Amino acid sequence: MWLIRGGTARGPWPQVKVHAATSIGPQYRRVKENPRLMRNIEKFIRDNVPRFEEVLCDFLRIPSVSADPRHREDMVRAAEWLRKYLEGIGLDAEVIRPPGSVPAGHPLVYAESEAVPGAPTILVYGHYDVQPADPLEEWSSPPFEPTRRDGYLVARGASDDKGQLLTHVFSTEAWLAVYGKLPVKLKFLFEGEEEIGSATLSAYLRQDPDRLACDCIVISDTAQFSPGQPAITYALRGIAYFQLELEGPKTDLHSGQYGGAVTNPANALVMMLGALVDERGRVAIPGFYEAVRPISEEERQMLGLLPFDEDVFFERLGVDGGSGEAGFTVLERLWVRPSFDISGLTAGYQGAGAKTIIPSRATAKFSFRLVPDQDPKKIALLAEEYLRKICPPGIRMKLALLAQCPALALSLRSPWVDAARRAIEAGFGCPPVFVRSGGSIPIINQLYQSLRAYVLLVGWGQESDNAHGPNERFSLADFHRGIRTSCHLWQELANVEVKDSE
Amino acid sequence: MWLIRGGTARGPWPQVKVHAATSIGPQYRRVKENPRLMRNIEKFIRDNVPRFEEVLCDFLRIPSVSADPRHREDMVRAAEWLRKYLEGIGLDAEVIRPPGSVPAGHPLVYAESEAVPGAPTILVYGHYDVQPADPLEEWSSPPFEPTRRDGYLVARGASDDKGQLLTHVFSTEAWLAVYGKLPVKLKFLFEGEEEIGSATLSAYLRQDPDRLACDCIVISDTAQFSPGQPAITYALRGIAYFQLELEGPKTDLHSGQYGGAVTNPANALVMMLGALVDERGRVAIPGFYEAVRPISEEERQMLGLLPFDEDVFFERLGVDGGSGEAGFTVLERLWVRPSFDISGLTAGYQGAGAKTIIPSRATAKFSFRLVPDQDPKKIALLAEEYLRKICPPGIRMKLALLAQCPALALSLRSPWVDAARRAIEAGFGCPPVFVRSGGSIPIINQLYQSLRAYVLLVGWGQESDNAHGPNERFSLADFHRGIRTSCHLWQELANVEVKDSE
């Protein structure tokens, strides 16, 4: 069930009448709300907002760039900063050093609250590492000196993910400060390698999954649908990323003396990659769509109701239109259907002017974004078989699968979702919409697979936060609403009956 | 007429019985040969061979690398060296400075002999500039210290083109030394920019074509068919060389968030370039073949008789086979049919590992090799029209024609060819075969167009001379045979009746 339950979506998007789903049973018990309970918490938040902002600024001043070895010590500082803060609000917290198998790894931070009998255990995942700040000259203020501007906090990591992860820390602080306890058991797991592949956490998950055992995973590292319109993300696409190398003659050849009879690896590359897509914009590999779930009428209708303007979308990207698989809307192409994209092409002469050669080799990097239930390894086999079949004589072909992860699709018929929906409505003043993401986050897949717990992707950021670019920012209003929502979330999640959940 | 006249081709190729053509009329008068005349010349050559080799070595020691500004003075030295030598053998010679319009140009060397009433005027073209010697570490002896090895002279420029151009200088020296005069009027034109585009000569040709007026142009800058098998080259392919730039979104985009709906410029590039060739290996642009002359049965038979082993050809290139236009042999694909080759591809991420982007732009360099009577400018229009038509939405396309020149095809029914054939038979001891070349030499086209004179492409080099690579070499036997042939050539060309020639 993923329609917004009874009511009218509010906000700067068209008034959309949505209907309560009839298929939801009483999978969770809704305890009677205690208005005073949340009122006290909210008062604490209001009183502490200036301090929360200062604490976030303090955190943002640590240049915890995981990709840059020069910031190794800053990574340790950021982890220690988190541990100390978590300890300070009353949790058991520790820094976990990366295992010997990940020598260049950065520490994990782990903390937990006391057990709450009968209530679920919630794992909060986030990451304290940030993207490099380059190009520095495009920042209007120093990336690690947080600056308030037009209601935003501008700094590297403000939205991705320091600002978002702290909302859950501050909500926990509020509960503990006001009531001395939490309605659920919380486990915090913060890593320092989300931007560089999560090797340490991945190793830790294989080594000690029991410690992280939980009923539901809460992650705020995604975006709202648009400003003022919060969202719950219920699906991510998977990926199979390849490098294709074609080798022809042992050296570059003169294109006059040899052109027309010698197979040119660059010609072969465009022919073979071109043959991966048919004239309807579909991937032409036999069997590629075999496991793809057809889009349901229900989902199609809901996506159609989202306030999404295709013209504005393309205009913002600087193009006059787009293209893709025939028979699907832009949002369907981005979220529900698999895609094929070339990320890099390399062959022959790339300098100025003309050089008349047949290059001896040509290389491409490309990926398929996958949807449920496509198996990336099976897709890799199909792709290799197809490419070998169309590879012309005179070419030696190498295909390497550089990265892969399956798609993630969560049922919206879940009490966890309903709890989150209510919390968001309380925190943001409007119900969330339910969205998918075209991207792939392998560590989320791994958490989901390892812990077998529901994953709630509730992000307070915006697509326009420029997460990996210059002048990254986080709306202070979203920051405050995120903290409030998180406070409500612990209460709402407490009402989910663990044994009855899926 | 391009069959070898009466006789049997000799050499390390299959014995091929060729028949005299019956269609040749008496377009030239064959003067009675004076055996003693050539005997004296040949004796002079034999007596002077050691000196000729030393003079060539002297010339090769000047590192006249036209592409490298550090060798500017060496270019002037090489030009002066030539002028002095030409003057020394009794010609009027001068160095012509590049015009102001070609500030980075290198000098021309021009020389001429006395007029010979009733005899044709022959322009000998060559170039004294050489390719850079890099990579130096792959040379087994210093590139500008000529070294004798196994019957070869190893040095940069030995074959391309210093050794070859000097054969005509030494033959002229022989005639003048033995008889004090030449049977034809000779004009020597040597440039220093053949390897970098011939800008100075091109400007000079536009400015002062009358001075270069001639009846026939002799050029030794091509190769024999194989060792021991001299050749006359009667056709060159033309070229139209393009750069195609496709621009999509204003920045690189995340391939997850945008993949499937945003037109990826790299996807568009492979689709568009892939669509330039059909499944039979033909260029798919409508009208591309409109002007292409079909191959005649006569030519097809002759090419089929050439001792060319396709397996050996591919094996030498390090590939297990080739591909090309269906219905044509390898030699036909290389020489008689147009071709399409991509020389460079650039898009997105080219480093190690995976980067999941939709690149904002993608670029290709590619060319069509053209055959008579394809017009490169018309081909460029057709290509642009076709590419614009298949360019998908969301892409801005730029197509630049970086270089172009039409094909050159000379009739073999020419007294000039017959004269050259006889001279080669006298100099090499076996008749030449007639070959085409898949390459394009724009300056030869321009000489042909400007001077409206027949072009005799009689090269003494070998494909295996490694002209642009390390350890360039020139067979001393070919050097000597080239000098002898050139001596005979002046005598044979003298017999061509200019007014009756085409």
Side-chain angles (χ1 to χ4, degrees):
Chain A
M1 203 309 284
W2 56 282
L3 291 173
I4 300 162
R5 297 194 82 210
T8 302
R10 282 166 292 163
W13 60 95
Q15 291 285 311
V16 175
K17 189 85 182 164
V18 287
H19 305 284
T22 55
S23 55
I24 278 214
Q27 294 149 311
Y28 56 91
R29 81 193 131 98
R30 182 98 171 81
V31 295
K32 205 163 173 249
E33 215 164 63
N34 179 344
R36 188 187 295 165
L37 183 92
M38 292 314 294
R39 216 152 43 217
N40 292 341
I41 300 266
E42 297 220 9
K43 180 172 185 314
F44 179 87
I45 294 171
R46 273 197 306 280
D47 294 346
N48 283 276
V49 146
R51 185 174 60 81
F52 289 157
E53 290 183 12
E54 276 318 302
V55 173
L56 171 55
C57 287
D58 203 36
F59 193 25
L60 290 170
R61 286 190 190 98
I62 307 173
S64 46
V65 180
S66 51
D68 189 341
R70 290 171 301 180
H71 288 291
R72 230 179 141 64
E73 283 309 305
D74 294 319
M75 296 304 297
V76 174
R77 266 175 66 211
E80 283 296 337
W81 184 100
L82 266 178
R83 184 197 58 75
K84 203 172 150 196
Y85 198 87
L86 290 162
E87 231 166 46
I89 65 172
L91 301 176
D92 280 339
E94 66 173 302
V95 167
I96 300 168
R97 302 276 153 198
S101 61
V102 190
H106 302 301
L108 304 172
V109 179
Y110 179 77
E112 59 179 46
S113 62
E114 280 171 17
V116 181
T121 298
I122 309 298
L123 179 79
V124 178
Y125 163 87
H127 65 92
Y128 67 86
D129 64 324
V130 300
Q131 281 275 321
D134 313 280
L136 281 175
E137 64 279 11
E138 290 186 26
W139 285 77
S140 49
S141 54
F144 297 106
E145 189 41 66
T147 307
R148 280 182 187 74
R149 198 151 56 229
D150 306 328
Y152 290 92
L153 197 60
V154 178
R156 170 57 83 229
S159 170
D160 180 19
D161 180 43
K162 287 175 172 173
Q164 296 208 58
L165 81 80
L166 280 190
T167 60
H168 299 300
V169 175
F170 293 144
S171 69
T172 302
E173 178 178 357
W175 271 93
L176 292 173
V178 174
Y179 294 106
K181 61 180 183 178
L182 285 154
V184 290
K185 177 178 174 80
L186 287 179
K187 294 180 174 180
F188 286 94
L189 176 67
F190 298 133
E191 68 157 323
E193 298 169 29
E194 196 273 344
E195 305 291 3
I196 56 168
S198 304
T200 293
L201 176 50
S202 185
Y204 188 74
L205 267 172
R206 280 191 300 269
Q207 176 195 313
D208 200 1
D210 292 347
R211 191 179 194 191
L212 304 177
C214 60
D215 300 299
C216 177
I217 304 166
V218 169
I219 303 176
S220 290
D221 195 21
T222 49
Q224 300 183 52
F225 182 71
S226 59
Q229 179 53 69
I232 294 177
T233 301
Y234 65 95
L236 301 169
R237 287 197 289 192
I239 191 170
Y241 191 107
F242 298 90
Q243 178 162 309
L244 175 64
E245 280 184 71
L246 302 184
E247 291 181 359
K250 56 190 174 189
T251 56
D252 291 353
L253 298 177
H254 190 286
S255 68
Q257 282 172 18
Y258 295 96
V262 174
T263 310
N264 178 326
N267 286 32
L269 190 74
V270 305
M271 180 276 282
M272 290 166 69
L273 294 178
L276 286 175
V277 181
D278 71 14
E279 67 287 348
R280 302 200 70 227
R282 287 167 63 89
V283 174
I285 298 171
F288 183 86
Y289 290 93
E290 206 168 75
V292 172
R293 293 185 204 165
I295 185 169
S296 69
E297 262 319 300
E298 191 186 18
E299 186 160 17
R300 173 160 260 181
Q301 276 179 23
M302 184 57 199
L303 294 183
L305 290 176
L306 284 172
F308 180 80
D309 186 322
E310 298 192 355
D311 291 342
V312 170
F313 172 79
F314 287 121
E315 197 186 313
R316 277 192 192 139
L317 302 177
V319 293
D320 63 2
S323 58
E325 190 181 354
F328 294 92
T329 67
V330 167
L331 278 187
E332 288 164 2
R333 288 169 175 176
L334 294 176
W335 291 350
V336 186
R337 300 297 296 175
S339 62
F340 163 69
D341 272 294
I342 298 168
S343 291
L345 291 172
T346 307
Y349 182 64
Q350 304 191 47
K355 188 177 181 191
T356 49
I357 53 164
I358 295 174
S360 74
R361 62 179 61 233
T363 308
K365 291 174 193 280
F366 63 89
S367 64
F368 301 105
R369 295 287 169 170
L370 306 176
V371 297
D373 297 299
Q374 290 181 295
D375 173 358
K377 286 178 186 148
K378 186 167 179 208
I379 293 297
L381 289 176
L382 293 174
E384 172 138 21
E385 189 183 358
Y386 180 70
L387 289 170
R388 289 219 179 274
K389 200 168 151 191
I390 61 176
C391 183
I395 297 289
R396 290 176 304 285
M397 170 190 141
K398 286 187 216 165
L399 186 71
L401 179 65
L402 296 191
Q404 55 90 13
C405 108
L408 177 72
L410 297 151
S411 167
L412 286 170
R413 291 190 167 82
S414 158
W416 305 111
V417 170
D418 221 62
R421 187 188 59 71
R422 282 197 303 274
I424 288 170
E425 192 154 1
F428 277 78
C430 77
V433 289
F434 295 94
V435 302
R436 302 173 67 133
S437 166
S440 322
I441 313 179
I443 193 62
I444 294 184
N445 274 65
Q446 207 188 334
L447 286 167
Y448 180 70
Q449 301 287 342
S450 301
L451 307 179
R452 306 200 167 276
Y454 195 88
V455 180
L456 269 181
L457 297 169
V458 284
W460 326 131
Q462 299 290 348
E463 293 289 356
S464 53
D465 281 346
N466 217 13
H468 288 195
N471 298 312
E472 176 178 348
R473 64 185 191 176
F474 190 30
S475 155
L476 288 168
D478 283 337
F479 178 55
H480 305 153
R481 288 189 283 232
I483 299 169
R484 285 180 68 213
T485 302
S486 179
C487 288
H488 285 274
L489 188 60
W490 307 150
Q491 172 66 9
E492 293 290 346
L493 292 173
N495 297 327
V496 177
E497 267 195 51
V498 176
K499 292 204 173 150
D500 293 348
S501 73
E502 65 179 36
Chain B
M1 207 303 287
W2 57 280
L3 291 172
I4 300 162
R5 296 193 82 209
T8 302
R10 282 167 293 162
W13 58 96
Q15 291 286 313
V16 175
K17 188 89 183 163
V18 287
H19 305 281
T22 53
S23 56
I24 279 214
Q27 293 148 313
Y28 56 91
R29 82 192 131 98
R30 182 98 174 79
V31 294
K32 204 164 176 244
E33 218 168 60
N34 179 342
R36 189 186 294 164
L37 183 92
M38 293 312 294
R39 216 152 45 216
N40 292 339
I41 300 264
E42 297 219 11
K43 180 173 186 310
F44 179 87
I45 294 171
R46 274 196 307 279
D47 293 346
N48 283 276
V49 146
R51 185 173 58 81
F52 289 157
E53 290 183 11
E54 276 318 302
V55 172
L56 171 56
C57 287
D58 202 37
F59 193 25
L60 289 170
R61 285 191 192 99
I62 306 173
S64 47
V65 180
S66 51
D68 189 341
R70 290 172 299 181
H71 288 290
R72 233 180 138 59
E73 284 309 305
D74 294 318
M75 297 303 295
V76 175
R77 266 175 66 210
E80 283 297 338
W81 185 98
L82 266 179
R83 184 198 57 75
K84 204 171 149 197
Y85 198 87
L86 290 162
E87 230 167 45
I89 65 172
L91 302 177
D92 279 339
E94 66 173 301
V95 167
I96 300 167
R97 302 273 153 199
S101 61
V102 189
H106 302 300
L108 304 172
V109 180
Y110 179 78
E112 59 179 44
S113 62
E114 281 172 18
V116 181
T121 297
I122 309 299
L123 179 79
V124 178
Y125 163 88
H127 64 93
Y128 66 86
D129 65 325
V130 300
Q131 281 275 320
D134 314 281
L136 281 176
E137 64 277 13
E138 291 186 25
W139 285 77
S140 48
S141 54
F144 297 106
E145 189 43 66
T147 306
R148 278 181 189 76
R149 198 150 55 229
D150 305 327
Y152 291 91
L153 197 60
V154 178
R156 169 58 84 229
S159 169
D160 181 19
D161 181 42
K162 287 175 172 173
Q164 297 208 56
L165 81 79
L166 280 191
T167 61
H168 299 299
V169 175
F170 293 145
S171 70
T172 302
E173 179 178 354
W175 271 93
L176 292 172
V178 174
Y179 294 107
K181 62 180 182 179
L182 285 153
V184 289
K185 177 178 173 79
L186 288 179
K187 294 180 174 181
F188 288 94
L189 175 67
F190 299 133
E191 68 156 324
E193 298 170 28
E194 196 273 345
E195 305 292 2
I196 57 169
S198 304
T200 293
L201 177 51
S202 185
Y204 188 74
L205 267 172
R206 281 190 299 269
Q207 176 195 310
D208 200 1
D210 291 347
R211 190 180 194 190
L212 303 178
C214 59
D215 301 298
C216 177
I217 304 166
V218 169
I219 303 177
S220 291
D221 195 20
T222 49
Q224 300 182 50
F225 182 73
S226 58
Q229 179 54 68
I232 294 176
T233 301
Y234 65 96
L236 301 169
R237 287 198 290 191
I239 191 169
Y241 192 107
F242 299 89
Q243 179 161 309
L244 176 64
E245 280 183 72
L246 302 184
E247 290 180 0
K250 57 189 173 191
T251 56
D252 291 353
L253 298 178
H254 189 286
S255 67
Q257 281 172 18
Y258 296 95
V262 173
T263 310
N264 178 327
N267 285 32
L269 190 73
V270 304
M271 180 276 281
M272 291 166 70
L273 294 177
L276 285 174
V277 181
D278 71 13
E279 67 288 347
R280 301 200 68 227
R282 287 167 63 89
V283 174
I285 298 170
F288 183 86
Y289 290 92
E290 206 168 75
V292 172
R293 293 185 204 167
I295 185 170
S296 68
E297 262 318 301
E298 192 186 16
E299 187 160 15
R300 173 159 260 183
Q301 277 179 21
M302 184 56 198
L303 294 183
L305 291 177
L306 284 172
F308 180 80
D309 186 323
E310 297 192 355
D311 291 341
V312 171
F313 172 79
F314 287 122
E315 197 186 312
R316 278 192 192 139
L317 301 176
V319 294
D320 63 2
S323 58
E325 190 181 354
F328 294 92
T329 66
V330 167
L331 277 187
E332 288 165 3
R333 288 169 175 175
L334 295 175
W335 291 351
V336 186
R337 300 298 296 175
S339 61
F340 163 69
D341 273 292
I342 298 168
S343 291
L345 292 172
T346 308
Y349 181 65
Q350 304 189 47
K355 189 177 181 189
T356 49
I357 53 164
I358 295 174
S360 74
R361 64 178 60 234
T363 307
K365 292 175 192 278
F366 64 89
S367 64
F368 301 106
R369 296 285 170 170
L370 307 175
V371 297
D373 297 301
Q374 290 182 296
D375 174 357
K377 285 175 186 150
K378 187 168 177 207
I379 293 298
L381 289 175
L382 292 174
E384 173 138 22
E385 189 183 357
Y386 180 71
L387 289 170
R388 289 220 179 274
K389 201 168 151 190
I390 61 175
C391 183
I395 297 290
R396 292 177 302 288
M397 170 190 141
K398 286 187 216 166
L399 185 71
L401 180 64
L402 296 191
Q404 55 90 15
C405 109
L408 177 71
L410 297 151
S411 167
L412 286 170
R413 290 192 167 79
S414 159
W416 305 111
V417 170
D418 221 64
R421 187 189 59 69
R422 281 196 304 272
I424 288 170
E425 193 156 359
F428 278 79
C430 78
V433 289
F434 296 95
V435 302
R436 303 173 68 132
S437 165
S440 322
I441 312 179
I443 192 62
I444 294 184
N445 274 65
Q446 207 187 334
L447 287 165
Y448 180 69
Q449 301 288 339
S450 302
L451 307 179
R452 305 200 167 276
Y454 195 88
V455 179
L456 269 181
L457 298 169
V458 284
W460 326 132
Q462 299 290 348
E463 293 289 357
S464 52
D465 282 345
N466 218 13
H468 288 196
N471 299 312
E472 177 179 348
R473 64 185 190 173
F474 190 30
S475 154
L476 288 168
D478 283 337
F479 178 55
H480 305 153
R481 289 189 282 230
I483 299 169
R484 285 179 69 212
T485 302
S486 180
C487 287
H488 285 273
L489 187 60
W490 308 148
Q491 172 66 9
E492 293 290 347
L493 293 173
N495 296 328
V496 177
E497 266 195 52
V498 176
K499 290 200 177 156
D500 294 347
S501 76
E502 62 181 40

